[in-house]
Amino acid sequence: MTEQSRARFRTEARAEHPDPVLLCLLAAAEHSLAPDPGDPLEPPTLEALLAACEAALERHAAAVRQAVAERAPAGPEETAALLAAVLGGRERFHGRQSDYRRLESSLLPEVLRRRRGLPILLSLVWMAVGRRAGLTVHGVALPGHFIVAVGAPGGGEEYVLADPFHGGRLLDQEDAAALVQRAGHAFSTQLLTPAQPLDIVHRVLGNIRVWAADRPEHARTQLWATELALLLPRHPAQLRLERAELLVRTGDFLGGSAEMDAYAEILDAFDPDAAARVRQDARAARHRLN
């Protein structure tokens, strides 16, 4: 874990216009910059990591700008097809079901290197490349499957939907509705509004937390993802309890129990029974010191 990347993460999260790409790169630094005892090479510096990722995004944007100059797409559908041809076709950004089982699929530097990842990370690549190429590409946070809109959904302008996970396959509204319904939700056109930057980062960190929670040996990964989520301006209070439990699980019994007691004070006002259970867990954590 790096104090430098966390300080920048906190500052960027509170900027007037937070950059989800930079925030996801800084989040990934928690993993990418951690020393690996089995690797004799020193991990890269934060600045080197950021510069390498920016260079990769700019290379892809240059390829898109060249394609735009050659083909002069008319309207969002042709623009989306062009992005699919460059990013999903020539550059081979896509995803597979097996990517859901890999932490790298949620780490933007690794997604740029492997050109594989979860839907939200691949959509973030499309958004970042589109912005650098002068195109309008928004994230669309459908339940269960993140996609993009080329154009301006919700703004009265024409747009088209695309699925970067499947190489940029173009979607109509019925396709989007089917994705939402498969995730067990009801579809409405409000779901097509552009995703907010901090909501994107929350979702990326949530994916990392869920991945690690299913693998107890990766409790420290869940811990840093939880701690970064707590640095965002808006976050569920429940994250404080999650962090406390992870501190205990990773051996910080005093720190974890103190966090539990603090969280119990919050619960006192509206759920005394839950507060009592949390305090009991705090006592159990302190007893593990004996």
Side-chain angles (χ1 to χ4, degrees):
M1 306 208 179
T2 68
E3 292 183 10
Q4 183 187 13
S5 63
R6 288 205 177 187
R8 290 188 62 174
F9 185 94
R10 184 186 298 106
T11 300
E12 180 61 29
R14 285 159 175 74
E16 184 177 357
H17 301 291
D19 180 357
V21 172
L22 177 56
L23 285 166
C24 285
L25 290 174
L26 292 170
E30 296 280 325
H31 174 83
S32 301
L33 303 185
D36 182 354
D39 189 345
L41 299 177
E42 289 289 324
T45 65
L46 176 61
E47 293 306 322
L49 177 71
L50 296 179
C53 292
E54 177 59 35
L57 290 169
E58 180 53 36
R59 283 196 303 273
H60 299 311
V64 170
R65 286 194 296 268
Q66 181 179 351
V68 168
E70 292 172 352
R71 304 181 197 179
E77 186 167 348
E78 290 186 12
T79 302
L82 181 150
L83 283 165
V86 175
L87 295 177
R90 192 172 79 187
E91 303 299 333
R92 302 182 68 181
F93 279 99
H94 68 287
R96 296 176 183 165
Q97 200 62 33
S98 59
D99 292 317
Y100 284 89
R101 299 193 294 271
R102 299 186 62 148
L103 174 61
E104 294 93 330
S105 301
S106 291
L107 303 176
L108 187 52
E110 291 297 316
V111 172
L112 289 169
R113 182 182 67 83
R114 299 175 60 240
R115 307 189 186 194
R116 297 266 300 277
L118 297 189
I120 190 169
L121 271 297
L122 294 168
S123 295
L124 197 58
V125 170
W126 272 56
M127 294 162 59
V129 169
R131 187 179 75 222
R132 286 162 176 76
L135 305 176
T136 302
V137 183
H138 293 294
V140 177
L142 296 182
H145 196 88
F146 207 97
I147 61 174
V148 298
V150 180
E157 299 178 29
E158 188 181 358
Y159 67 91
V160 67
L161 303 173
D163 182 1
F165 188 76
H166 291 101
R169 177 172 64 94
L170 300 187
L171 306 172
D172 58 24
Q173 202 166 106
E174 289 183 359
D175 296 325
L179 287 172
V180 172
Q181 289 159 5
R182 278 203 292 272
H185 295 265
F187 176 77
S188 76
T189 55
Q190 288 186 335
L191 292 172
L192 302 179
T193 57
Q196 295 303 302
L198 294 183
D199 292 339
I200 294 172
V201 180
H202 262 302
R203 187 157 165 171
V204 169
L205 291 173
N207 288 338
I208 293 172
R209 288 165 45 228
V210 168
W211 177 89
D214 289 338
R215 298 163 176 82
E217 68 275 18
H218 290 286
R220 292 193 180 277
T221 296
Q222 186 181 353
L223 177 60
W224 65 250
T226 302
E227 290 180 336
L228 289 179
L230 284 165
L231 293 179
L232 296 172
R234 302 184 311 276
H235 53 260
Q238 178 72 16
L239 283 177
R240 293 187 59 180
L241 180 59
E242 181 176 324
R243 178 178 183 271
E245 292 170 343
L246 288 165
L247 287 173
V248 171
R249 197 184 308 171
T250 54
D252 185 357
F253 305 123
L254 282 180
S257 62
E259 289 283 344
M260 288 179 185
D261 285 332
Y263 185 70
E265 290 182 12
I266 297 173
L267 290 177
D268 280 332
F270 55 91
D271 194 343
D273 291 339
R277 290 193 295 271
V278 172
R279 286 193 174 93
Q280 184 176 359
D281 290 342
R283 287 192 296 272
R286 285 190 290 272
H287 288 159
R288 293 178 67 178
L289 288 166
N290 298 332

PDB file of all heavy atoms in Angstrom, residues 126-163:
ATOM      1  N   TRP A 126     -12.861   2.431 -23.341  1.00  0.00           N
ATOM      2  CA  TRP A 126     -13.567   3.093 -24.434  1.00  0.00           C
ATOM      3  C   TRP A 126     -13.801   4.571 -24.108  1.00  0.00           C
ATOM      4  O   TRP A 126     -13.607   5.447 -24.958  1.00  0.00           O
ATOM      5  CB  TRP A 126     -14.908   2.402 -24.667  1.00  0.00           C
ATOM      6  CG  TRP A 126     -14.868   1.247 -25.612  1.00  0.00           C
ATOM      7  CD1 TRP A 126     -14.072   0.132 -25.512  1.00  0.00           C
ATOM      8  CD2 TRP A 126     -15.671   1.065 -26.782  1.00  0.00           C
ATOM      9  NE1 TRP A 126     -14.324  -0.725 -26.549  1.00  0.00           N
ATOM     10  CE2 TRP A 126     -15.311  -0.181 -27.343  1.00  0.00           C
ATOM     11  CE3 TRP A 126     -16.657   1.820 -27.384  1.00  0.00           C
ATOM     12  CZ2 TRP A 126     -15.906  -0.669 -28.499  1.00  0.00           C
ATOM     13  CZ3 TRP A 126     -17.264   1.336 -28.540  1.00  0.00           C
ATOM     14  CH2 TRP A 126     -16.887   0.107 -29.098  1.00  0.00           C
ATOM     15  N   MET A 127     -14.225   4.853 -22.881  1.00  0.00           N
ATOM     16  CA  MET A 127     -14.482   6.239 -22.485  1.00  0.00           C
ATOM     17  C   MET A 127     -13.200   7.071 -22.545  1.00  0.00           C
ATOM     18  O   MET A 127     -13.206   8.199 -23.052  1.00  0.00           O
ATOM     19  CB  MET A 127     -15.058   6.263 -21.069  1.00  0.00           C
ATOM     20  CG  MET A 127     -16.439   5.633 -20.949  1.00  0.00           C
ATOM     21  SD  MET A 127     -16.862   5.209 -19.239  1.00  0.00           S
ATOM     22  CE  MET A 127     -16.750   6.809 -18.446  1.00  0.00           C
ATOM     23  N   ALA A 128     -12.107   6.517 -22.026  1.00  0.00           N
ATOM     24  CA  ALA A 128     -10.848   7.258 -21.984  1.00  0.00           C
ATOM     25  C   ALA A 128     -10.298   7.489 -23.386  1.00  0.00           C
ATOM     26  O   ALA A 128      -9.827   8.587 -23.714  1.00  0.00           O
ATOM     27  CB  ALA A 128      -9.830   6.492 -21.130  1.00  0.00           C
ATOM     28  N   VAL A 129     -10.336   6.463 -24.210  1.00  0.00           N
ATOM     29  CA  VAL A 129      -9.830   6.594 -25.577  1.00  0.00           C
ATOM     30  C   VAL A 129     -10.719   7.551 -26.369  1.00  0.00           C
ATOM     31  O   VAL A 129     -10.233   8.414 -27.110  1.00  0.00           O
ATOM     32  CB  VAL A 129      -9.754   5.216 -26.257  1.00  0.00           C
ATOM     33  CG1 VAL A 129      -9.490   5.357 -27.748  1.00  0.00           C
ATOM     34  CG2 VAL A 129      -8.671   4.365 -25.596  1.00  0.00           C
ATOM     35  N   GLY A 130     -12.033   7.418 -26.204  1.00  0.00           N
ATOM     36  CA  GLY A 130     -12.945   8.312 -26.905  1.00  0.00           C
ATOM     37  C   GLY A 130     -12.706   9.764 -26.557  1.00  0.00           C
ATOM     38  O   GLY A 130     -12.655  10.634 -27.438  1.00  0.00           O
ATOM     39  N   ARG A 131     -12.521  10.048 -25.267  1.00  0.00           N
ATOM     40  CA  ARG A 131     -12.279  11.429 -24.851  1.00  0.00           C
ATOM     41  C   ARG A 131     -10.995  11.964 -25.463  1.00  0.00           C
ATOM     42  O   ARG A 131     -10.955  13.096 -25.947  1.00  0.00           O
ATOM     43  CB  ARG A 131     -12.209  11.504 -23.328  1.00  0.00           C
ATOM     44  CG  ARG A 131     -12.132  12.940 -22.796  1.00  0.00           C
ATOM     45  CD  ARG A 131     -12.078  12.953 -21.278  1.00  0.00           C
ATOM     46  NE  ARG A 131     -10.755  12.549 -20.804  1.00  0.00           N
ATOM     47  CZ  ARG A 131     -10.556  11.744 -19.773  1.00  0.00           C
ATOM     48  NH1 ARG A 131     -11.572  11.213 -19.129  1.00  0.00           N
ATOM     49  NH2 ARG A 131      -9.331  11.454 -19.382  1.00  0.00           N
ATOM     50  N   ARG A 132      -9.951  11.155 -25.470  1.00  0.00           N
ATOM     51  CA  ARG A 132      -8.684  11.601 -26.039  1.00  0.00           C
ATOM     52  C   ARG A 132      -8.758  11.764 -27.551  1.00  0.00           C
ATOM     53  O   ARG A 132      -7.958  12.491 -28.139  1.00  0.00           O
ATOM     54  CB  ARG A 132      -7.574  10.614 -25.655  1.00  0.00           C
ATOM     55  CG  ARG A 132      -7.157  10.726 -24.194  1.00  0.00           C
ATOM     56  CD  ARG A 132      -6.410   9.493 -23.717  1.00  0.00           C
ATOM     57  NE  ARG A 132      -5.921   9.647 -22.346  1.00  0.00           N
ATOM     58  CZ  ARG A 132      -6.681   9.558 -21.265  1.00  0.00           C
ATOM     59  NH1 ARG A 132      -7.974   9.292 -21.390  1.00  0.00           N
ATOM     60  NH2 ARG A 132      -6.163   9.723 -20.057  1.00  0.00           N
ATOM     61  N   ALA A 133      -9.706  11.075 -28.178  1.00  0.00           N
ATOM     62  CA  ALA A 133      -9.870  11.179 -29.628  1.00  0.00           C
ATOM     63  C   ALA A 133     -10.917  12.226 -30.013  1.00  0.00           C
ATOM     64  O   ALA A 133     -11.237  12.381 -31.190  1.00  0.00           O
ATOM     65  CB  ALA A 133     -10.260   9.824 -30.206  1.00  0.00           C
ATOM     66  N   GLY A 134     -11.465  12.925 -29.008  1.00  0.00           N
ATOM     67  CA  GLY A 134     -12.441  13.961 -29.290  1.00  0.00           C
ATOM     68  C   GLY A 134     -13.843  13.452 -29.546  1.00  0.00           C
ATOM     69  O   GLY A 134     -14.666  14.152 -30.161  1.00  0.00           O
ATOM     70  N   LEU A 135     -14.164  12.240 -29.062  1.00  0.00           N
ATOM     71  CA  LEU A 135     -15.477  11.645 -29.263  1.00  0.00           C
ATOM     72  C   LEU A 135     -16.248  11.620 -27.943  1.00  0.00           C
ATOM     73  O   LEU A 135     -15.646  11.606 -26.862  1.00  0.00           O
ATOM     74  CB  LEU A 135     -15.343  10.215 -29.802  1.00  0.00           C
ATOM     75  CG  LEU A 135     -14.511  10.070 -31.087  1.00  0.00           C
ATOM     76  CD1 LEU A 135     -14.376   8.594 -31.445  1.00  0.00           C
ATOM     77  CD2 LEU A 135     -15.139  10.847 -32.233  1.00  0.00           C
ATOM     78  N   THR A 136     -17.562  11.577 -28.033  1.00  0.00           N
ATOM     79  CA  THR A 136     -18.411  11.523 -26.842  1.00  0.00           C
ATOM     80  C   THR A 136     -18.762  10.073 -26.545  1.00  0.00           C
ATOM     81  O   THR A 136     -19.519   9.442 -27.291  1.00  0.00           O
ATOM     82  CB  THR A 136     -19.696  12.343 -27.047  1.00  0.00           C
ATOM     83  OG1 THR A 136     -19.341  13.690 -27.347  1.00  0.00           O
ATOM     84  CG2 THR A 136     -20.556  12.323 -25.793  1.00  0.00           C
ATOM     85  N   VAL A 137     -18.195   9.541 -25.468  1.00  0.00           N
ATOM     86  CA  VAL A 137     -18.464   8.164 -25.051  1.00  0.00           C
ATOM     87  C   VAL A 137     -18.758   8.185 -23.551  1.00  0.00           C
ATOM     88  O   VAL A 137     -17.904   8.586 -22.760  1.00  0.00           O
ATOM     89  CB  VAL A 137     -17.279   7.223 -25.347  1.00  0.00           C
ATOM     90  CG1 VAL A 137     -17.639   5.794 -24.965  1.00  0.00           C
ATOM     91  CG2 VAL A 137     -16.867   7.307 -26.811  1.00  0.00           C
ATOM     92  N   HIS A 138     -19.948   7.768 -23.174  1.00  0.00           N
ATOM     93  CA  HIS A 138     -20.354   7.728 -21.770  1.00  0.00           C
ATOM     94  C   HIS A 138     -20.444   6.287 -21.287  1.00  0.00           C
ATOM     95  O   HIS A 138     -20.770   5.379 -22.049  1.00  0.00           O
ATOM     96  CB  HIS A 138     -21.732   8.369 -21.586  1.00  0.00           C
ATOM     97  CG  HIS A 138     -21.767   9.834 -21.845  1.00  0.00           C
ATOM     98  ND1 HIS A 138     -21.113  10.742 -21.056  1.00  0.00           N
ATOM     99  CD2 HIS A 138     -22.396  10.557 -22.810  1.00  0.00           C
ATOM    100  CE1 HIS A 138     -21.324  11.964 -21.511  1.00  0.00           C
ATOM    101  NE2 HIS A 138     -22.095  11.883 -22.580  1.00  0.00           N
ATOM    102  N   GLY A 139     -20.197   6.101 -19.987  1.00  0.00           N
ATOM    103  CA  GLY A 139     -20.474   4.821 -19.370  1.00  0.00           C
ATOM    104  C   GLY A 139     -21.949   4.712 -19.029  1.00  0.00           C
ATOM    105  O   GLY A 139     -22.589   5.689 -18.647  1.00  0.00           O
ATOM    106  N   VAL A 140     -22.489   3.508 -19.157  1.00  0.00           N
ATOM    107  CA  VAL A 140     -23.887   3.232 -18.826  1.00  0.00           C
ATOM    108  C   VAL A 140     -23.896   2.064 -17.845  1.00  0.00           C
ATOM    109  O   VAL A 140     -23.557   0.935 -18.214  1.00  0.00           O
ATOM    110  CB  VAL A 140     -24.714   2.907 -20.082  1.00  0.00           C
ATOM    111  CG1 VAL A 140     -26.141   2.547 -19.703  1.00  0.00           C
ATOM    112  CG2 VAL A 140     -24.707   4.088 -21.057  1.00  0.00           C
ATOM    113  N   ALA A 141     -24.304   2.350 -16.615  1.00  0.00           N
ATOM    114  CA  ALA A 141     -24.182   1.371 -15.528  1.00  0.00           C
ATOM    115  C   ALA A 141     -25.425   0.500 -15.434  1.00  0.00           C
ATOM    116  O   ALA A 141     -26.192   0.573 -14.466  1.00  0.00           O
ATOM    117  CB  ALA A 141     -23.925   2.086 -14.211  1.00  0.00           C
ATOM    118  N   LEU A 142     -25.632  -0.358 -16.417  1.00  0.00           N
ATOM    119  CA  LEU A 142     -26.746  -1.297 -16.324  1.00  0.00           C
ATOM    120  C   LEU A 142     -26.490  -2.273 -15.175  1.00  0.00           C
ATOM    121  O   LEU A 142     -25.348  -2.660 -14.918  1.00  0.00           O
ATOM    122  CB  LEU A 142     -26.892  -2.086 -17.629  1.00  0.00           C
ATOM    123  CG  LEU A 142     -27.241  -1.313 -18.897  1.00  0.00           C
ATOM    124  CD1 LEU A 142     -27.386  -2.280 -20.063  1.00  0.00           C
ATOM    125  CD2 LEU A 142     -28.496  -0.484 -18.716  1.00  0.00           C
ATOM    126  N   PRO A 143     -27.537  -2.686 -14.482  1.00  0.00           N
ATOM    127  CA  PRO A 143     -27.342  -3.693 -13.426  1.00  0.00           C
ATOM    128  C   PRO A 143     -26.746  -4.976 -14.006  1.00  0.00           C
ATOM    129  O   PRO A 143     -27.258  -5.531 -14.971  1.00  0.00           O
ATOM    130  CB  PRO A 143     -28.767  -3.939 -12.912  1.00  0.00           C
ATOM    131  CG  PRO A 143     -29.531  -2.719 -13.290  1.00  0.00           C
ATOM    132  CD  PRO A 143     -28.941  -2.249 -14.578  1.00  0.00           C
ATOM    133  N   GLY A 144     -25.626  -5.389 -13.451  1.00  0.00           N
ATOM    134  CA  GLY A 144     -25.031  -6.649 -13.861  1.00  0.00           C
ATOM    135  C   GLY A 144     -24.140  -6.591 -15.082  1.00  0.00           C
ATOM    136  O   GLY A 144     -23.379  -7.529 -15.338  1.00  0.00           O
ATOM    137  N   HIS A 145     -24.200  -5.498 -15.877  1.00  0.00           N
ATOM    138  CA  HIS A 145     -23.370  -5.461 -17.092  1.00  0.00           C
ATOM    139  C   HIS A 145     -23.201  -4.010 -17.542  1.00  0.00           C
ATOM    140  O   HIS A 145     -24.145  -3.389 -18.010  1.00  0.00           O
ATOM    141  CB  HIS A 145     -24.000  -6.292 -18.209  1.00  0.00           C
ATOM    142  CG  HIS A 145     -23.049  -6.618 -19.328  1.00  0.00           C
ATOM    143  ND1 HIS A 145     -22.246  -7.733 -19.305  1.00  0.00           N
ATOM    144  CD2 HIS A 145     -22.771  -5.959 -20.479  1.00  0.00           C
ATOM    145  CE1 HIS A 145     -21.510  -7.762 -20.417  1.00  0.00           C
ATOM    146  NE2 HIS A 145     -21.821  -6.683 -21.141  1.00  0.00           N
ATOM    147  N   PHE A 146     -22.005  -3.505 -17.412  1.00  0.00           N
ATOM    148  CA  PHE A 146     -21.692  -2.122 -17.777  1.00  0.00           C
ATOM    149  C   PHE A 146     -21.458  -2.034 -19.288  1.00  0.00           C
ATOM    150  O   PHE A 146     -20.774  -2.879 -19.863  1.00  0.00           O
ATOM    151  CB  PHE A 146     -20.433  -1.679 -17.035  1.00  0.00           C
ATOM    152  CG  PHE A 146     -20.319  -0.208 -16.787  1.00  0.00           C
ATOM    153  CD1 PHE A 146     -20.696   0.337 -15.575  1.00  0.00           C
ATOM    154  CD2 PHE A 146     -19.821   0.645 -17.762  1.00  0.00           C
ATOM    155  CE1 PHE A 146     -20.578   1.698 -15.327  1.00  0.00           C
ATOM    156  CE2 PHE A 146     -19.700   2.000 -17.532  1.00  0.00           C
ATOM    157  CZ  PHE A 146     -20.089   2.531 -16.315  1.00  0.00           C
ATOM    158  N   ILE A 147     -22.025  -1.010 -19.916  1.00  0.00           N
ATOM    159  CA  ILE A 147     -21.841  -0.794 -21.351  1.00  0.00           C
ATOM    160  C   ILE A 147     -21.509   0.677 -21.586  1.00  0.00           C
ATOM    161  O   ILE A 147     -21.314   1.436 -20.629  1.00  0.00           O
ATOM    162  CB  ILE A 147     -23.090  -1.210 -22.164  1.00  0.00           C
ATOM    163  CG1 ILE A 147     -24.309  -0.370 -21.738  1.00  0.00           C
ATOM    164  CG2 ILE A 147     -23.366  -2.708 -22.008  1.00  0.00           C
ATOM    165  CD1 ILE A 147     -25.543  -0.607 -22.596  1.00  0.00           C
ATOM    166  N   VAL A 148     -21.426   1.081 -22.846  1.00  0.00           N
ATOM    167  CA  VAL A 148     -21.176   2.483 -23.164  1.00  0.00           C
ATOM    168  C   VAL A 148     -22.245   3.002 -24.117  1.00  0.00           C
ATOM    169  O   VAL A 148     -22.916   2.227 -24.811  1.00  0.00           O
ATOM    170  CB  VAL A 148     -19.782   2.707 -23.796  1.00  0.00           C
ATOM    171  CG1 VAL A 148     -18.678   2.308 -22.826  1.00  0.00           C
ATOM    172  CG2 VAL A 148     -19.652   1.977 -25.120  1.00  0.00           C
ATOM    173  N   ALA A 149     -22.363   4.321 -24.143  1.00  0.00           N
ATOM    174  CA  ALA A 149     -23.201   5.011 -25.123  1.00  0.00           C
ATOM    175  C   ALA A 149     -22.311   5.965 -25.894  1.00  0.00           C
ATOM    176  O   ALA A 149     -21.560   6.752 -25.294  1.00  0.00           O
ATOM    177  CB  ALA A 149     -24.326   5.773 -24.438  1.00  0.00           C
ATOM    178  N   VAL A 150     -22.337   5.867 -27.195  1.00  0.00           N
ATOM    179  CA  VAL A 150     -21.615   6.796 -28.056  1.00  0.00           C
ATOM    180  C   VAL A 150     -22.623   7.849 -28.478  1.00  0.00           C
ATOM    181  O   VAL A 150     -23.596   7.559 -29.175  1.00  0.00           O
ATOM    182  CB  VAL A 150     -21.019   6.078 -29.280  1.00  0.00           C
ATOM    183  CG1 VAL A 150     -20.274   7.075 -30.177  1.00  0.00           C
ATOM    184  CG2 VAL A 150     -20.073   4.965 -28.822  1.00  0.00           C
ATOM    185  N   GLY A 151     -22.430   9.070 -28.025  1.00  0.00           N
ATOM    186  CA  GLY A 151     -23.415  10.125 -28.192  1.00  0.00           C
ATOM    187  C   GLY A 151     -23.757  10.676 -26.829  1.00  0.00           C
ATOM    188  O   GLY A 151     -22.912  10.678 -25.931  1.00  0.00           O
ATOM    189  N   ALA A 152     -24.970  11.145 -26.635  1.00  0.00           N
ATOM    190  CA  ALA A 152     -25.333  11.803 -25.376  1.00  0.00           C
ATOM    191  C   ALA A 152     -26.683  11.326 -24.859  1.00  0.00           C
ATOM    192  O   ALA A 152     -27.689  12.009 -25.015  1.00  0.00           O
ATOM    193  CB  ALA A 152     -25.352  13.314 -25.561  1.00  0.00           C
ATOM    194  N   PRO A 153     -26.755  10.125 -24.237  1.00  0.00           N
ATOM    195  CA  PRO A 153     -28.035   9.673 -23.688  1.00  0.00           C
ATOM    196  C   PRO A 153     -28.510  10.598 -22.580  1.00  0.00           C
ATOM    197  O   PRO A 153     -27.724  11.092 -21.785  1.00  0.00           O
ATOM    198  CB  PRO A 153     -27.704   8.277 -23.140  1.00  0.00           C
ATOM    199  CG  PRO A 153     -26.241   8.324 -22.869  1.00  0.00           C
ATOM    200  CD  PRO A 153     -25.663   9.211 -23.937  1.00  0.00           C
ATOM    201  N   GLY A 154     -29.800  10.827 -22.553  1.00  0.00           N
ATOM    202  CA  GLY A 154     -30.366  11.684 -21.525  1.00  0.00           C
ATOM    203  C   GLY A 154     -30.267  13.158 -21.839  1.00  0.00           C
ATOM    204  O   GLY A 154     -30.837  13.989 -21.141  1.00  0.00           O
ATOM    205  N   GLY A 155     -29.551  13.510 -22.904  1.00  0.00           N
ATOM    206  CA  GLY A 155     -29.387  14.913 -23.236  1.00  0.00           C
ATOM    207  C   GLY A 155     -30.182  15.339 -24.443  1.00  0.00           C
ATOM    208  O   GLY A 155     -30.006  16.444 -24.948  1.00  0.00           O
ATOM    209  N   GLY A 156     -31.063  14.471 -24.933  1.00  0.00           N
ATOM    210  CA  GLY A 156     -31.874  14.830 -26.080  1.00  0.00           C
ATOM    211  C   GLY A 156     -31.164  14.668 -27.407  1.00  0.00           C
ATOM    212  O   GLY A 156     -31.722  14.978 -28.459  1.00  0.00           O
ATOM    213  N   GLU A 157     -29.938  14.176 -27.377  1.00  0.00           N
ATOM    214  CA  GLU A 157     -29.181  13.987 -28.607  1.00  0.00           C
ATOM    215  C   GLU A 157     -29.189  12.512 -28.998  1.00  0.00           C
ATOM    216  O   GLU A 157     -29.438  11.631 -28.184  1.00  0.00           O
ATOM    217  CB  GLU A 157     -27.743  14.482 -28.437  1.00  0.00           C
ATOM    218  CG  GLU A 157     -27.644  15.971 -28.099  1.00  0.00           C
ATOM    219  CD  GLU A 157     -26.203  16.395 -27.885  1.00  0.00           C
ATOM    220  OE1 GLU A 157     -25.314  15.777 -28.496  1.00  0.00           O
ATOM    221  OE2 GLU A 157     -25.977  17.338 -27.104  1.00  0.00           O
ATOM    222  N   GLU A 158     -28.853  12.262 -30.245  1.00  0.00           N
ATOM    223  CA  GLU A 158     -28.823  10.900 -30.758  1.00  0.00           C
ATOM    224  C   GLU A 158     -27.637  10.151 -30.147  1.00  0.00           C
ATOM    225  O   GLU A 158     -26.565  10.721 -29.924  1.00  0.00           O
ATOM    226  CB  GLU A 158     -28.700  10.935 -32.281  1.00  0.00           C
ATOM    227  CG  GLU A 158     -28.841   9.575 -32.945  1.00  0.00           C
ATOM    228  CD  GLU A 158     -28.683   9.662 -34.449  1.00  0.00           C
ATOM    229  OE1 GLU A 158     -28.509  10.782 -34.971  1.00  0.00           O
ATOM    230  OE2 GLU A 158     -28.713   8.595 -35.090  1.00  0.00           O
ATOM    231  N   TYR A 159     -27.829   8.874 -29.877  1.00  0.00           N
ATOM    232  CA  TYR A 159     -26.740   8.053 -29.353  1.00  0.00           C
ATOM    233  C   TYR A 159     -26.984   6.608 -29.748  1.00  0.00           C
ATOM    234  O   TYR A 159     -28.080   6.227 -30.185  1.00  0.00           O
ATOM    235  CB  TYR A 159     -26.628   8.174 -27.829  1.00  0.00           C
ATOM    236  CG  TYR A 159     -27.799   7.594 -27.071  1.00  0.00           C
ATOM    237  CD1 TYR A 159     -27.803   6.275 -26.645  1.00  0.00           C
ATOM    238  CD2 TYR A 159     -28.914   8.383 -26.790  1.00  0.00           C
ATOM    239  CE1 TYR A 159     -28.877   5.734 -25.965  1.00  0.00           C
ATOM    240  CE2 TYR A 159     -29.998   7.854 -26.096  1.00  0.00           C
ATOM    241  CZ  TYR A 159     -29.974   6.530 -25.693  1.00  0.00           C
ATOM    242  OH  TYR A 159     -31.049   6.010 -25.008  1.00  0.00           O
ATOM    243  N   VAL A 160     -25.941   5.788 -29.579  1.00  0.00           N
ATOM    244  CA  VAL A 160     -26.056   4.359 -29.825  1.00  0.00           C
ATOM    245  C   VAL A 160     -25.313   3.634 -28.713  1.00  0.00           C
ATOM    246  O   VAL A 160     -24.321   4.146 -28.174  1.00  0.00           O
ATOM    247  CB  VAL A 160     -25.488   3.982 -31.213  1.00  0.00           C
ATOM    248  CG1 VAL A 160     -23.979   4.191 -31.267  1.00  0.00           C
ATOM    249  CG2 VAL A 160     -25.844   2.547 -31.581  1.00  0.00           C
ATOM    250  N   LEU A 161     -25.802   2.459 -28.335  1.00  0.00           N
ATOM    251  CA  LEU A 161     -25.204   1.669 -27.261  1.00  0.00           C
ATOM    252  C   LEU A 161     -24.256   0.628 -27.828  1.00  0.00           C
ATOM    253  O   LEU A 161     -24.474   0.095 -28.922  1.00  0.00           O
ATOM    254  CB  LEU A 161     -26.300   0.968 -26.455  1.00  0.00           C
ATOM    255  CG  LEU A 161     -27.374   1.875 -25.845  1.00  0.00           C
ATOM    256  CD1 LEU A 161     -28.484   1.031 -25.227  1.00  0.00           C
ATOM    257  CD2 LEU A 161     -26.768   2.805 -24.799  1.00  0.00           C
ATOM    258  N   ALA A 162     -23.197   0.347 -27.067  1.00  0.00           N
ATOM    259  CA  ALA A 162     -22.231  -0.672 -27.484  1.00  0.00           C
ATOM    260  C   ALA A 162     -21.749  -1.437 -26.256  1.00  0.00           C
ATOM    261  O   ALA A 162     -21.737  -0.906 -25.143  1.00  0.00           O
ATOM    262  CB  ALA A 162     -21.047  -0.037 -28.211  1.00  0.00           C
ATOM    263  N   ASP A 163     -21.335  -2.671 -26.472  1.00  0.00           N
ATOM    264  CA  ASP A 163     -20.904  -3.566 -25.391  1.00  0.00           C
ATOM    265  C   ASP A 163     -19.419  -3.891 -25.560  1.00  0.00           C
ATOM    266  O   ASP A 163     -19.061  -4.821 -26.295  1.00  0.00           O
ATOM    267  CB  ASP A 163     -21.740  -4.846 -25.435  1.00  0.00           C
ATOM    268  CG  ASP A 163     -21.382  -5.813 -24.309  1.00  0.00           C
ATOM    269  OD1 ASP A 163     -20.496  -5.485 -23.492  1.00  0.00           O
ATOM    270  OD2 ASP A 163     -21.985  -6.898 -24.247  1.00  0.00           O
TER     271      ASP A 163
END
